[in-house]
Amino acid sequence: MDYAYKLIDSPVGQLTLVARGDKLAAILWENDRAGRVRLGEMTSDEQRPVLLAAAGQLEEYFAGKRTGFDVPLSFDGTDFQKQVWAALLTIPYGQTRTYLQIARQLGNEKAVRAVGAANGRNPISIIAPCHRVIGAGGELTGFAGGLHAKKLLLAIEGISTEGRDAGDTIDPRRKAQHRRREDPNQLSLL
């Protein structure tokens, strides 16, 4: 199947929209890690309808005029990855979920790390909102587009990210647990 792409400028940098046939297959970041999303050979196609529709909907989203997307999607991955990506699509605009919540939604709370790995390989960023997934203590965690992009996307949706950098937590008990891991000799009253 052929892959076609279109470049668009956005508040989070240049994005590469990729179509496979008449469905959106990927949204790649300007400085995306090579191989994060596996795609075949691509050709530029500025007029492919699904790419034009995705570009228009993303523009509306960035302008705060769109809270959901309706372009046809084509996810390519393992069955488990597809389950995680489908779960991402259920996270409402303006809300977040933790990796554990997604694992529980899939019926296996022990799959937290696997959920994180699948989230990191989400090929259709923004539309399948992996930016809405946060750490258990409310902290922002790794993001293919960079934490600055994650913060901006969450801000567009009205989600405060103050004090939520990677490693920063909201719950002081989790901070104490983190400190104990760094210094196992530290005593705690928890």
Side-chain angles (χ1 to χ4, degrees), residues 145-167:
L147 288 183
H148 66 286
K150 185 170 191 164
K151 282 184 173 188
L152 180 60
L153 295 171
L154 292 173
I156 287 170
E157 298 184 21
I159 300 170
S160 172
T161 59
E162 192 169 326
R164 289 183 165 204
D165 287 332

Side-chain angles (χ1 to χ4, degrees), residues 1-78:
M1 176 121 354
D2 70 318
Y3 287 95
Y5 73 91
K6 174 180 179 57
L7 301 175
I8 65 166
D9 292 322
S10 80
V12 290
Q14 189 175 67
L15 299 173
T16 303
L17 310 182
V18 181
R20 181 174 44 231
D22 60 354
K23 295 182 178 180
L24 188 67
I27 298 177
L28 306 175
W29 300 94
E30 189 169 356
N31 297 310
D32 220 327
R33 188 180 81 243
R36 184 183 72 81
V37 177
R38 294 187 181 125
L39 300 167
E41 189 174 321
M42 298 187 292
T43 57
S44 176
D45 186 346
E46 295 291 316
Q47 299 305 314
R48 185 158 307 196
V50 70
L51 296 176
L52 291 172
Q57 289 184 25
L58 285 165
E59 185 178 324
E60 292 170 359
Y61 169 81
F62 289 125
K65 297 177 182 175
R66 176 174 283 276
T67 61
F69 299 91
D70 60 9
V71 294
L73 307 177
S74 175
F75 287 105
D76 187 25
T78 67

Side-chain angles (χ1 to χ4, degrees), residues 180 187-190:
R180 280 196 307 279
L187 295 176
S188 173
L189 298 175
L190 292 178

